[in-house]
């Protein structure tokens, strides 16, 4: 059984006659008949009843044809994949995005890219602190969205991408939030600060907004951190876009902490210099740039 034989079968069904199938495939009618007979011999049963003028699928032929059309579609998709790979469409592209940035805009870009290049796999990871930078420097990410903290500027290309604000917050019933006056460092040290772990290794790890000498509870992500704050178990900084509803309804309130004002952080889209950027990675880079321009 060959792909060409399955195409013969499909042409006979769609065109209605052996003659029309032959014309559609630019083959002789005898060649079409011969290839169909060879297919029937291979599978061991008749695909068509030849009693009428127009060949009709047998019951077995109906079942076989349904499966054959799926096989043809899969083969066509495989050929498309091969053509794209030959055209230097990457097999996969990796992005690492800081956990402080909302994913929705990035997902919109990826959605457009997947429509243009459906055979390229996208690997998207959420990283904290120095995690995106480490992924980039270890060539585990083609593009990252992160701050420039610790970034070797001579090794990368960076474009301003977005600004975020991180504010210290707690539940209004949490003891440290019940007095609006500024808390000194010594006062706040007795309350547990909830922090998100750095997803990088110790070699490139960063520390931001850590209260020196205070009690700490480390979690893996901002979702867990937010739940703990809402449970009145501590205080900590969270990007404002993650807690808009809670700030609006009062289930979280901003804290006034010495040495811990709201932090305004600029994010960049970053890639390595002198790397062999593929077609898809370049398309993502360009669309991220256009996204940034559309929001300024």
């Amino acid at each position: 059984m060959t792909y060409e034989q399955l195409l013969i079968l499909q042409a006979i069904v769609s065109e209605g006659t052996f003659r029309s199938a032959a014309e559609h495939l630019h083959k002789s009618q005898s060649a079409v008949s011969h290839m169909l007979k060879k297919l029937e011999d291979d599978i061991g049963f008749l695909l068509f009843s030849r009693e009428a003028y127009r060949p009709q699928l047998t019951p077995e032929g109906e079942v076989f044809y349904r499966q054959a059309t799926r096989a043809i579609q899969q083969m066509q998709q495989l050929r498309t994949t091969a053509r794209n790979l030959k055209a230097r469409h990457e097999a996969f592209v990796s992005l690492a995005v800081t956990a402080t940035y909302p994913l929705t805009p990035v997902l919109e870009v990826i959605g457009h890219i997947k429509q243009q290049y459906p055979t390229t796999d996208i690997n998207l990871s959420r990283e904290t602190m120095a995690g995106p930078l480490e992924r980039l420097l270890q060539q585990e990410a083609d593009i990252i969205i992160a701050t420039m903290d610790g970034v070797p500027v001579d090794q990368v290309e960076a474009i301003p991408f977005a600004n975020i604000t991180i504010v210290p917050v707690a539940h209004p019933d949490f003891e440290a939030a019940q007095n609006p006056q500024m808390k000194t460092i010594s006062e706040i040290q007795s309350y547990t600060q909830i922090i998100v772990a750095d997803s990088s290794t110790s070699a490139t790890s960063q520390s931001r907004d850590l209260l020196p000498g205070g009690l700490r509870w480390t979690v893996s992500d901002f979702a867990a951190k937010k739940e703990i704050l809402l449970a009145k178990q501590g205080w900590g900084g969270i990007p404002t876009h993650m807690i808009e509803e809670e700030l609006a309804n009062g289930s979280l309130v901003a804290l006034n902490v010495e040495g811990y004002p709201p932090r305004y952080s600029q994010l960049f889209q970053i890639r390595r210099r002198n790397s062999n950027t593929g077609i898809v990675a370049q398309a993502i880079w360009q669309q991220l740039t256009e996204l940034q321009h559309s929001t300024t």
Side-chain angles (χ1 to χ4, degrees):
M1 185 188 312
T2 66
Y3 176 61
E4 188 175 12
Q5 289 172 337
L6 297 182
L7 290 179
I8 293 287
L9 170 62
Q10 184 183 54
I12 295 171
V13 174
S14 62
E15 298 298 321
T17 66
F18 284 78
R19 181 175 181 176
S20 296
E23 292 175 354
H24 177 75
L25 296 171
H26 305 290
K27 294 180 181 294
S28 68
Q29 186 172 336
S30 61
V32 168
S33 297
H34 175 76
M35 294 185 71
L36 178 67
K37 180 64 168 58
K38 181 66 169 60
L39 176 59
E40 290 177 327
D41 290 343
D42 288 345
I43 61 179
F45 54 84
L46 293 177
L47 291 167
F48 290 98
S49 170
R50 293 157 171 88
E51 296 176 356
Y53 169 71
R54 288 182 175 273
Q56 299 292 321
L57 286 168
T58 63
E60 296 86 355
E62 290 276 2
V63 175
F64 184 85
Y65 178 67
R66 287 197 296 269
Q67 295 295 327
T69 55
R70 297 190 185 99
I72 291 170
Q73 291 173 353
Q74 291 173 346
M75 180 60 73
Q76 290 171 343
Q77 290 171 355
L78 187 59
R79 289 187 169 191
T80 299
T81 298
R83 285 196 300 269
N84 286 346
L85 292 173
K86 185 178 180 180
R88 295 181 58 81
H89 292 182
E90 306 94 307
F92 62 90
V93 174
S94 295
L95 292 85
V97 180
T98 176
T100 59
Y101 183 73
L103 269 185
T104 299
V106 178
L107 294 179
E108 291 177 358
V109 168
I110 292 176
H112 294 153
I113 292 298
K114 289 298 292 180
Q115 290 179 354
Q116 294 177 268
Y117 307 99
T119 59
T120 295
D121 290 334
I122 305 295
N123 179 20
L124 175 63
S125 66
R126 289 289 253 171
E127 306 288 342
T128 55
M129 306 296 283
L133 175 59
E134 183 173 87
R135 301 290 90 75
L136 183 72
L137 297 181
Q138 294 184 355
Q139 300 187 21
E140 296 172 355
D142 300 287
I143 300 170
I144 67 172
I145 295 175
T147 69
M148 290 295 288
D149 293 351
V151 175
V153 294
D154 60 322
Q155 298 179 32
V156 304
E157 178 183 356
I159 299 176
F161 183 74
N163 294 295
I164 58 169
T165 302
I166 298 177
V167 295
V169 295
H171 190 279
D173 293 339
F174 186 64
E175 186 178 353
Q178 294 178 4
N179 187 334
Q181 294 182 343
M182 177 176 285
K183 299 291 186 295
T184 65
I185 291 179
S186 60
E187 288 176 317
I188 202 70
Q189 282 174 339
S190 61
Y191 302 104
T192 302
Q193 181 183 11
I194 314 302
I195 63 173
V196 176
D198 193 331
S199 63
S200 69
T201 64
S202 58
T204 58
S205 63
Q206 302 171 356
S207 295
R208 289 194 295 268
D209 303 330
L210 294 181
L211 188 70
L215 300 174
R216 296 176 188 170
W217 184 349
T218 303
V219 296
S220 61
D221 54 63
F222 279 102
K225 182 174 186 175
K226 181 177 173 179
E227 287 192 41
I228 294 170
L229 299 184
L230 289 170
K232 314 171 191 178
Q233 298 295 308
W235 70 278
I238 293 190
T240 54
H241 68 83
M242 296 183 184
I243 53 173
E244 289 177 348
E245 182 177 346
E246 288 76 15
L247 290 174
N249 63 30
S251 56
L252 289 176
V253 296
L255 297 181
N256 192 4
V257 180
E258 179 186 6
Y260 200 135
R263 177 163 59 84
Y264 305 97
S265 183
Q266 185 171 31
L267 302 179
F268 293 77
Q269 63 183 71
I270 307 170
R271 63 182 175 182
R272 296 184 303 276
R273 291 187 186 275
N274 304 321
S275 61
N276 294 323
T277 302
I279 294 174
V280 182
Q282 179 58 38
I284 293 174
W285 179 267
Q286 184 61 38
Q287 289 197 27
L288 288 174
T289 303
E290 293 171 359
L291 172 67
Q292 188 274 330
H293 288 161
S294 67
T295 57
T296 54

